[in-house]
Structures are given as structure tokens and as C-alpha cells.
């Protein structure tokens, strides 16, 4: 986190999602360049998750170390979205104490929302791919390397793998646990903790921040459906990528938020599954792939039966 | 098994819809019977009404999973009323509802044929339904493949878990992660039939995954004593080491190679013994008990 550009960005209080990275962050990694080196940025958007940051940053750094051992460059980018819980000063302290060279931090002066922060990471990364890690979750280093290798092998725009749900120290479920099918138009089973081809994501406008489309609660689902609609390839990698921590006070447990979320859900379905029948469409919209094995969604003819 | 004129005849019926696993089971029976010089037909339940009725008359019919066959229609098995002998073919633990449900309604059967590694006759709960056990040995060609295998370990993936997801299995995967490490193949989709177009692994894809995997690990989805013989064959045919984790329900006297009381017990043995040694014991089990053809011949002589 000792990178000078990062500190400069912090001091400028960069924040407006509408501002141009080229004009505001001249020295910041990735800004002003269209062609990015093959590699990975693990982007950690943070909003009032100070208590979880050590866990997510530690796991991200371990993953980047594994990436480097495997011969791939990488970095960690933490973007604080104007937290009120002291995350900013905490991140500054970490910088002062440890002076990590593999972590950059950006403190936004104004809250822009999760979608805007993710878009910021897509703009600022100096590498070809971005893995989004919510500040309260953690990644498994070998899973990240496997996911990245799958992305390179397949050229997919979006790669994801199994996440174990953990609640109060117990494993209670799993998500992002199967290949992409049009069942996605009915329900979202792919979490945002996934690896994204940065250029392709930006080419379709990134995550939606348009207030008219009201995607505040399902922006990750909308993003996946948008990629599918634009015929970008999604790939499921059957490995364990990390832990998803189920917290009692998530945004969607609030009744008012739940009401808004239901409205957003209707909006999404109006855009991507107007008839309500696409979930039965047999069209293949993605693949299953493991870099040690190859594609795994073929080979159904057996035994002459 | 009798023959009215010339060769004996066997009709193997499999579910057209439902789980692809049963198609695989039916195909193996068909291949074994073909080696026995039996006039054998392999027909899907949905195509049964197109079968020559004179050929069906008096035939020995094996119906693989009648409940799933009936997914093609309640009367789809009616042509088999003209058969000479009808048996329901299953590969299930006898205490489960998946086994019991097979005998509710339907066309009626003269016997149930249980395909597996452990005879469950003493636990079969339908006294009016004769029970026959068919040992699920490899086919002759599979025996040749298993005999000639020279698997080397480590492999790029240490363990694989392939099943539909339940909370228990997710916890199981976490245990495996902790005990055996992160290099894994984990496929736990939501419950639905394994068939083309459903986003599930094909048998060929599973084989390719297991060819890169050292331990193919599973646990029953119920608490009764049972050993899933097809999982064993899938593993051994891919040079992977089959590992059934079982809380102790399976009696050691069943002669089954390596079932483990816990994931930790598997991890301990993995540390103490080479993969080559472990595979060798499974190879011996697979090859020392004859072929599916031998066991089918024996069974057919008795029906």
C-alpha cells in the first residue's frame, strides 16, 4: 500500500464515479491505457466493513502471492466508498505499518455505490482481469489461480467457481455452484465474487449505475445477464474459490430494502426475461471448464443407448 | 431363463426421461447379455410401444428403475404384460424410499434384481417380491482396461466430489478441503435429473475429471449401510482411488476395499501409504470376482 500513486490518489480524495480516470488519476495504475498486461487485480470494494478488512486483504494478498508463484503478475486494489466506520483511517494505518508493495488503496470522498466502485476498479486496474472480492468475504489462493488459468485458456469474459457459505463459523451452504444456464433469468445463483475480463466489462458499460434502471440491489445479477445478452462467454470452474460470509444484517434483510429489491427484480425480468419462459430455453449460454481437465459440458453420447 | 425356439431372448428397458445413470446401467446389462449369445434388445420406455409385440410375448424383461420409466407415461410399460418374466432392476439401498416406491402400482414384477457389491437380501422388506442379487463386476472389456492400468500419483487434483448439493455435502466438501487440501474438483449443482441439456456432468466428462484426480470421494445421501458400486467402477476405470466415507454402517466383513469412518481417517491413510498401493487393492477387488457376464449368466439360469 506504499505505492506513491495510491497515496496521491488518497490525498486528492478521488471519488466521483463520473470523473475521468485520465484527468484525475494520471499516475494511478491502469489509468489512461486501453491495453493492459495479462494479470490480475483483486479489487476489494469497501463500505463500512472495517472489521472484515484484515481477513479479505490477507486472503487477497495470499492469492496474489500464489499468482506470482504460478508466473502471473497481480495486485490488490482496495477502494473505500466513503465509509463512516473509520475504514479510511484504518487503511491509512495499515499502509503506514506494513508498507505493502502489492496493495493499492483508493479512498473516495463521496459514496458512489457498489456498482460505481466496481466500475472504478475496472478503470484503474493495470491488468487484463479483475476479481471482485467483497470486503466481508475471502478467497482461497489456489482457487483464484485456477480461475485465472481458466480465464486465460478460454478467453471467457466472466469466470466463477464454488463459494462456501459460512455463517457464525459453520459452513451452511454453497453458491456459484453450477454452470451458466438460462435458469439465470429466473434466479441468480452466481455471486459477484468472480473474475472479469476488464476490457470486455467496460465495453458493455460495466455495472449499471443508471438510476432509471434501478439496479441498486441486483447490479451483479444484471451485469451477468447483460454479458449473456451481449453474447459474452461465461465459464463455471468446478473448484473452490472462497468463502462467502452470511451476515445477519445484509442489505436485503431490511424490509424497506427488500421492497426496493423486489421492484428491481421486476425491472431485471422486464429487460432479460420478458416472457418469463426463457429459463426453459435449452440454448447454451456458458461453459464448464477446468484448466487441468478441459471443457466438461460435452460427451453425452454413451454406450449406444 | 427359457427359450421357446432357438436363442433365449432378453429385453432391457430403460427410462427415456429422468436420470442418465439408469441408461448406463441398462446399457451395461445389454452388453453383458450380448456376450452370452442371448438375443437382446435395449429399448427406451418411450419406444416400447414400437417394439414387435410377437417378440415381446414370452420374453424375459428387465425394467431398469420402473418409477423413472413411468415418467414417459403411466401406461408406457403396458406392452410388457405379454412378457414371460418381468424383473425390476435397481441399484439402490433397500431401506430407502427410492427402492420402496418401485413396488407401488405399476405392471407387477416377478422379481427385483439388485445390482451392487453387497447382497441386501436380509434387509429386503417385500416378502412377496423375490429378491435376486447381481454382483456389479466389470464387463470383460473393462477388466482388460483395469488390468492394464498404470496410474501414477500425485495427480493435479487431489480429490473430487461429484453429487447434487445438500447442506451435508457442502459441509463434507469443507471437511475434504481442510483434510486433503485445495486442489480439488467440486461439482455440487442443485438437485435435478442427470441428463443432456441440464447443465450436469456427462459420464464422459466425469471420466475425464477422474483421470486427473487421485481420490474420488463420496458419502451416501442416507444413513443406511450401502456401497455405491458404480462410483467404485467410475473411479477405478479412470485410475482414481475410490474412497467411500461411511460412519461405520458398512460391515467390514463385506470385503469392500477401503471404506473410511471419517475424512480424517482417509487423510491419515493417504499420508501413510502410496497412491499406487491403494489403487492396487482396488484393482484386485475389481478383478478377483469375475465379470458381469459371469454373474448375469448365473442369475439368468435361476429365473
Amino acid at each position: 500500500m506504499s505505492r506513491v500513486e495510491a497515496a496521491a490518489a488518497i490525498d486528492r480524495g478521488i471519488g466521483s464515479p463520473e470523473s475521468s480516470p485520465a484527468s484525475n488519476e494520471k499516475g494511478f495504475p491502469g489509468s489512461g491505457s486501453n491495453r493492459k498486461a495479462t494479470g490480475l487485480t483483486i479489487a476489494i470494494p469497501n463500505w463500512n466493513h472495517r472489521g472484515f478488512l484484515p481477513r479479505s486483504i490477507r486472503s487477497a494478498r495470499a492469492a496474489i502471492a500464489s499468482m506470482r508463484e504460478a508466473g502471473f503478475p497481480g495486485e490488490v486494489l482496495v477502494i473505500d466508498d466513503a465509509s463512516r466506520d473509520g475504514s479510511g483511517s484504518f487503511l491509512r494505518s495499515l499502509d503506514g505499518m506494513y508498507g505493502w508493495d502489492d496493495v493499492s488503496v483508493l479512498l473516495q470522498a463521496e459514496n458512489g455505490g457498489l456498482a460505481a466502485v466496481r466500475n472504478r476498479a475496472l478503470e484503474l486496474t493495470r491488468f487484463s482481469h479483475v476479481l471482485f472480492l467483497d470486503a466481508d468475504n475471502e478467497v482461497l489462493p489456489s482457487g483464484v489461480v485456477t480461475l485465472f488459468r481458466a480465464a486465460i485458456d478460454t478467453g471467457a469474459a466472466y469466470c466463477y467457481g464454488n463459494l462456501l457459505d459460512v455463517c457464525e463459523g459453520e459452513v451452511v451452504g454453497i453458491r456459484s455452484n453450477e454452470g451458466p444456464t438460462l435458469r439465470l433469468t429466473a434466479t441468480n445463483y452466481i455471486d459477484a465474487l468472480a473474475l472479469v475480463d476488464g476490457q470486455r466489462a467496460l465495453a458493455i458499460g460495466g455495472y449499471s449505475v443508471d438510476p432509471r434502471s434501478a439496479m441498486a440491489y441486483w447490479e451483479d445479477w444484471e451485469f451477468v445477464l447483460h454479458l449473456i445478452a451481449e453474447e459474452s462467454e461465461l465459464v463455471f470452474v468446478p473448484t473452490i474459490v472462497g468463502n462467502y460470509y452470511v451476515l445477519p444484517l445484509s442489505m436485503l434483510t431490511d424490509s424497506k430494502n427488500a421492497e426496493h429489491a423486489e421492484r428491481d427484480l421486476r425491472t431485471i425480468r422486464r429487460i432479460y426475461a420478458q416472457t418469463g419462459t426463457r429459463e426453459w430455453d435449452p440454448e447454451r449460454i456458458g461453459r464448464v471448464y477446468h484448466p487441468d481437465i478441459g471443457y466438461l459440458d460435452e460427451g453425452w453420447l454413451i454406450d449406444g443407448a | 431363463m427359457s427359450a421357446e425356439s432357438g436363442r433365449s431372448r432378453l429385453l432391457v428397458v430403460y427410462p427415456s426421461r429422468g436420470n442418465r445413470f439408469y441408461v448406463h446401467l441398462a446399457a451395461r446389462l445389454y452388453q453383458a447379455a450380448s456376450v452370452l449369445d442371448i438375443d437382446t434388445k435395449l429399448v427406451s420406455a418411450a419406444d416400447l410401444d414400437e417394439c414387435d409385440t410377437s417378440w415381446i410375448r414370452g420374453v424375459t424383461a428387465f425394467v431398469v428403475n420402473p418409477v423413472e420409466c413411468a415418467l414417459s407415461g403411466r401406461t408406457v410399460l403396458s406392452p410388457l404384460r405379454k412378457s414371460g418374466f418381468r424383473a425390476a432392476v435397481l441399484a439402490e439401498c433397500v431401506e430407502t424410499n427410492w427402492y420402496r416406491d418401485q413396488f407401488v402400482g405399476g405392471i407387477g414384477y416377478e422379481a427385483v434384481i439388485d445390482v451392487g457389491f453387497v447382497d441386501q437380501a436380509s434387509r429386503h422388506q417385500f416378502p412377496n417380491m423375490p429378491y435376486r442379487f447381481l454382483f456389479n463386476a466389470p464387463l470383460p472389456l473393462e477388466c482388460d482396461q483395469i488390468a492394464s492400468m498404470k496410474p501414477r500419483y500425485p495427480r493435479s487434483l487431489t480429490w473430487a466430489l461429484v453429487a447434487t448439493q445438500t447442506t451435508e455435502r457442502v459441509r463434507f466438501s469443507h471437511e475434504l478441503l481442510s483434510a486433503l487440501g485445495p486442489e480439488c474438483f467440486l461439482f455440487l449443482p442443485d438437485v435435478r435429473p442427470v441428463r443432456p441439456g441440464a447443465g450436469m456432468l456427462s459420464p464422459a466428462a466425469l471420466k475425464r475429471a477422474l483421470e486427473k484426480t487421485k481420490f474420488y470421494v463420496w458419502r451416501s445421501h442416507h444413513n443406511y449401510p450401502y456401497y455405491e458400486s458404480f462410483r467404485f467402477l467410475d473411479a477405478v476405470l479412470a485410475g482414481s482411488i475410490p474412497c467411500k466415507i461411511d460412519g461405520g454402517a458398512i460391515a467390514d466383513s463385506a470385503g469392500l476395499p477401503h471404506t473410511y469412518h471419517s475424512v480424517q481417517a482417509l487423510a491419515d491413510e493417504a499420508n501413510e501409504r502410496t497412491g499406487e498401493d491403494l489403487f492396487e487393492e482396488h484393482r484386485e477387488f475389481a478383478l478377483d470376482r469375475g465379470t458381469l457376464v459371469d454373474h448375469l449368466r448365473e442369475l439368468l439360469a435361476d429365473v
Side-chain angles (χ1 to χ4, degrees), chain B residues 1-3 6-12 29-42 55 59-62 293 296-301 303:
Chain B
M1 186 181 191
S2 63
R7 295 166 72 201
S8 303
R9 289 177 297 122
L10 177 66
L11 174 61
V12 182
L29 294 174
Y30 168 78
Q31 289 170 29
S34 301
V35 175
L36 289 173
D37 195 29
I38 295 170
D39 184 6
T40 309
K41 281 193 189 341
L42 179 63
W55 197 88
V59 77
T60 295
F62 285 1
V293 175
L296 184 63
R297 180 192 293 115
E298 214 171 287
L299 180 118
L300 290 173
V303 297

Side-chain angles (χ1 to χ4, degrees), chain A residues 1-11 28-29 61 76 91-106:
Chain A
M1 204 157 24
S2 58
R3 190 175 289 144
V4 175
E5 301 94 316
I10 292 168
D11 290 338
F28 207 84
R61 293 191 68 233
V76 179
L91 287 165
R92 284 176 196 266
S93 299
L94 288 179
D95 179 28
M97 286 170 64
Y98 298 110
W100 292 320
D101 65 356
D102 54 355
V103 182
S104 300
V105 170
L106 176 64

